[in-house]
Amino acid sequence: MELVELTTKQDITKAFAVVNELRTNLDLNKYSELVTEAMERDNYHMFGMMEEEEIVAVAGFKPAVSLYYGRLVWIEDLVVTNEKRNYGYGEMMLHFVEQWAAQNKYDHVALSSGMSQSHAHKFYEEKMDYEKTGYVFLKKNV
């Protein structure tokens, strides 16, 4: 296993199949456009866990500063391909992001998770020691 930063168009394209398991609303073109823009504008980082040249997990995150959290790393995407769930990849990816945050002097790691993702909530709270601090509210088409 190897953890690599995904920075090239080829890397980003290769990660699409995994990310699409979480972000089913995106096609390859929209996904590529959004990842590229996030990298350019928001300092978005994408890492992939490689197993024999195949990406089996992806973490996408960006550093931020907020009045509520202070200096934090916001995880935008964390997904392990369906065939590789429950093998510890999610835990490894989350620990990596936490280490990245600490090494880069960020105080917190935060993420949001869909209301229907109860298995993910259990993972974050019980296994990874994250606490539920609120809800995310969204207004579309403004």
Side-chain angles (χ1 to χ4, degrees):
M1 276 183 296
E2 179 183 18
L3 188 62
V4 297
E5 188 161 12
L6 307 173
T7 58
T8 68
K9 184 175 174 99
Q10 182 180 1
D11 291 341
I12 293 165
T13 299
K14 193 173 180 181
F16 176 70
V18 177
V19 175
N20 195 234
E21 290 187 28
L22 177 65
R23 306 291 179 219
T24 57
N25 60 311
L26 298 175
D27 63 29
L28 178 59
N29 289 334
K30 188 66 172 176
Y31 156 82
S32 296
E33 175 187 317
L34 290 171
V35 170
T36 300
E37 184 176 350
M39 286 178 169
E40 291 170 357
R41 295 176 100 191
D42 294 336
N43 200 19
Y44 178 83
H45 298 271
M46 181 179 269
F47 284 82
M49 180 70 70
M50 307 294 293
E51 186 179 86
E52 299 179 16
E53 303 297 316
E54 180 184 343
I55 298 174
V56 296
V58 173
F61 60 89
K62 59 186 176 183
V65 178
S66 80
L67 297 179
Y68 182 73
Y69 293 112
R71 294 176 47 78
L72 76 141
V73 170
W74 183 265
I75 299 174
E76 294 282 340
D77 310 289
L78 179 65
V79 59
V80 176
T81 189
N82 195 45
E83 303 87 53
K84 298 293 181 173
R85 290 193 184 132
N86 299 312
Y87 288 90
Y89 293 110
E91 185 175 352
M92 285 185 270
M93 296 299 282
L94 209 45
H95 281 309
F96 168 77
V97 175
E98 293 166 358
Q99 290 170 353
W100 190 98
Q103 289 170 353
N104 288 279
K105 308 220 182 312
Y106 290 90
D107 303 319
H108 299 87
V109 173
L111 56 87
S112 66
S113 181
M115 297 292 286
S116 65
Q117 302 296 321
S118 58
H119 62 285
H121 304 163
K122 184 176 179 180
F123 167 72
Y124 296 130
E125 290 179 297
E126 295 178 11
K127 185 161 184 120
M128 300 306 297
D129 203 30
Y130 280 63
E131 62 181 279
K132 191 183 307 179
T133 60
Y135 293 95
V136 174
F137 294 91
L138 173 70
K139 186 171 186 176
K140 296 180 180 182
N141 303 319
V142 293

